[in-house]
Amino acid sequence: MNRRQTLSLLGTAALIAATQTAFTLPAFAQSQPIRIGEVNSYTGLPAFTIPYRQGWQLAVEEVNAAGGLLGGRTLEVVSRDDAGKPDDAVRVAQELLSNEKVELLAGTYFSHVGLAVADFAARNKVPFVAAEPLTDAITWTKGNRYTFRLRPSTYMQASMLVDEAAKLPAKRWATVAPNYEYGQSAVAWFKQLLKEKRPDVEFVAEQWPAQGKLEAGPTVQALAAAKPDAIFNVTFGADLAKFVREGEGRGLFRNRTVVSLLTGEPEYLEPMKDESPEGWIVTGYPYEQIETPEHKAFRDAYQKRFNDFPRQGSVVGYATFKAIAAAIEKAGSTDPEKVVDALSGLQLTSPFGPITFRASDHQATMGAYVGKTTVKNGRGTMTEWRYADGANYLPSDEAVKKMRPE
């Protein structure tokens, strides 16, 4: 074989190799998992975030068992703990994007952490589905193209509770809330919305303990000294348990109505057992009493998988990742701009029924259960509850347009 023949054969081999590469690379890419970066406060608030993690694990398992996405690609989650700190959350989000090559971000619990990741998502043009943070800023004053939020916000839940609070004879109100974005926003909206319905009410005292550091004795004493007719409570977790125990011991709740955000959720009632408060008006999740087909299917699957009952966090984690899967399928791609477009106006069925991510502000219409706390069989639960559809507790698109940046 002469030199010309050899070069010709080498050229042909190179062409064949290049052709094979051109065809095998897309096929290889199509077989790769779709990686989602998940960030949350697992060490900061395990009572909520561990059930939340089990919820998204169940959703991912169901998606993959049904054949995956985009023609067979499995969904894979790379999870990180943010320690409840905005700086840590942004650092791990950057690591997920740069090193783990995730296609999308999801999660966060605390409002200030969610806002930090939302800002990161906007700067890096990556979709972010905020699962839990309740601050209104994340979808309104600091909203951006790349951020969407699942849970009903502080405005929405405060509005649900105001419906009930406005019916009470109480005129003198006191408030207690953790002193950060979530607590501040919840109190501000409750005061504004209640005054709109009941101009005769007045707020006579406010207590602002640091999150996770409530000093129950002085707090209860200060509230009692103001002699309110009713109290709006926004504390949760260990702070809530301390507040309830001290308030009961000092008679703070005697002949006073308490309206309380999140207190009806199993995460917060379960640790108090038979010390759970009686007759508080709350938002929450009476998981054992909801018998709609979509909720029963979720509850049965969750109990079978984890041998445990679902909490509010379980629903949030499950619905967040079902929404992500639905958006990717709708987009027909993992391209970030296409996924963002698919999330805008996305409709899906959740354990609480149909929900939509509104195009105007990227807020989902998921609602909450509103009722009263009670103790049954030695544990706290809800009674006299109703489902408040989130779509009925949101401002109009025109109002949103004035609040969101262009």
Side-chain angles (χ1 to χ4, degrees):
M1 183 182 295
N2 60 34
R3 185 171 182 273
R4 181 176 294 177
Q5 290 172 317
T6 302
L7 289 174
S8 176
L9 285 172
L10 287 171
T12 301
L15 178 62
I16 292 169
T19 303
Q20 288 176 333
T21 301
F23 280 101
T24 56
L25 276 177
F28 175 75
Q30 287 173 3
S31 68
Q32 290 297 290
I34 298 170
R35 309 192 91 198
I36 307 300
E38 194 278 327
V39 181
N40 224 309
S41 303
Y42 291 105
T43 54
L45 201 73
F48 189 98
T49 53
I50 290 176
Y52 157 85
R53 180 169 58 197
Q54 293 180 168
W56 65 247
Q57 286 173 337
L58 177 62
V60 169
E61 289 169 5
E62 289 182 356
V63 168
N64 291 340
L69 302 171
L70 306 181
R73 295 178 65 183
T74 57
L75 201 57
E76 182 179 289
V77 181
V78 186
S79 183
R80 295 288 184 270
D81 193 326
D82 60 37
K85 299 176 181 177
D87 289 346
D88 285 8
V90 170
R91 176 181 54 78
V92 297
Q94 182 64 69
E95 186 260 332
L96 287 168
L97 206 60
S98 301
N99 299 344
E100 300 294 344
K101 308 300 181 187
V102 299
E103 309 278 3
L104 183 148
L105 295 171
T108 72
Y109 179 89
F110 292 107
S111 288
H112 56 312
V113 175
L115 286 169
V117 176
D119 179 67
F120 173 86
R123 288 186 283 108
N124 289 273
K125 298 184 177 180
V126 58
F128 169 45
V129 181
E132 167 62 23
L134 301 185
T135 173
D136 298 287
I138 207 166
T139 52
W140 294 347
T141 57
K142 295 184 180 180
N144 64 66
R145 167 171 167 76
Y146 297 90
T147 299
F148 296 77
R149 196 248 308 281
L150 178 78
R151 279 205 75 180
S153 67
T154 52
Y155 172 91
M156 296 165 73
Q157 295 200 51
S159 183
M160 295 169 189
L161 290 171
V162 162
D163 273 357
E164 306 305 319
K167 301 172 187 175
L168 300 172
K171 292 184 178 181
R172 292 169 55 84
W173 284 82
T175 67
V176 54
N179 193 17
Y180 75 107
E181 168 61 28
Y182 154 70
Q184 294 160 5
S185 178
V187 168
W189 282 123
F190 184 83
K191 291 170 72 173
Q192 178 179 323
L193 295 168
L194 183 57
K195 279 182 171 289
E196 288 174 2
K197 290 194 172 187
R198 284 281 304 276
D200 61 324
V201 304
E202 60 176 326
F203 287 84
V204 297
E206 294 180 351
Q207 287 292 301
W208 297 100
Q211 168 56 29
K213 298 179 180 179
L214 181 141
E215 295 183 15
T219 299
V220 167
Q221 186 175 359
L223 291 172
K227 294 182 169 53
D229 300 326
I231 298 168
F232 178 55
N233 169 68
V234 192
T235 64
F236 60 94
D239 283 348
L240 171 66
K242 289 190 288 186
F243 178 60
V244 169
R245 188 172 296 114
E246 191 72 18
E248 289 287 356
R250 296 190 181 216
L252 176 64
F253 311 131
R254 194 173 301 127
N255 300 321
R256 287 192 179 101
T257 301
V258 180
V259 176
S260 194
L261 201 64
L262 311 182
T263 300
E265 295 177 3
E267 287 89 333
Y268 311 130
L269 286 176
E270 184 185 12
M272 292 188 284
K273 299 184 171 60
D274 59 359
E275 292 183 317
S276 298
E278 283 274 7
W280 287 21
I281 299 170
V282 297
T283 55
Y285 173 41
Y287 71 91
E288 77 282 17
Q289 303 173 55
I290 306 167
E291 296 297 336
T292 60
E294 57 268 25
H295 180 264
K296 191 174 184 303
F298 162 73
R299 185 180 60 207
D300 290 349
Y302 188 92
Q303 289 178 323
K304 181 179 179 181
R305 172 65 175 82
F306 299 107
N307 193 30
D308 196 5
F309 62 85
R311 280 77 166 173
Q312 178 72 39
S314 312
V315 177
V316 172
Y318 182 85
T320 296
F321 277 76
K322 285 290 189 174
I324 288 168
I328 291 171
E329 280 291 284
K330 180 182 173 184
S333 167
T334 57
D335 176 83
E337 300 301 329
K338 292 180 180 179
V339 172
V340 166
D341 289 341
L343 278 163
S344 182
L346 180 72
Q347 298 179 346
L348 71 150
T349 298
S350 77
F352 289 176
I355 60 173
T356 300
F357 283 87
R358 301 202 315 173
S360 62
D361 57 5
H362 298 179
Q363 171 65 51
T365 59
M366 175 180 277
Y369 292 86
V370 180
K372 293 182 178 180
T373 55
T374 190
V375 176
K376 289 183 179 179
N377 301 319
R379 53 176 291 274
T381 185
M382 288 177 67
T383 187
E384 300 177 43
W385 53 264
R386 64 180 175 87
Y387 180 65
D389 188 339
N392 299 328
Y393 294 91
L394 279 163
S396 66
D397 291 346
E398 292 73 22
V400 165
K401 190 174 182 181
K402 295 176 182 177
M403 291 188 283
R404 273 178 74 93
E406 292 292 334

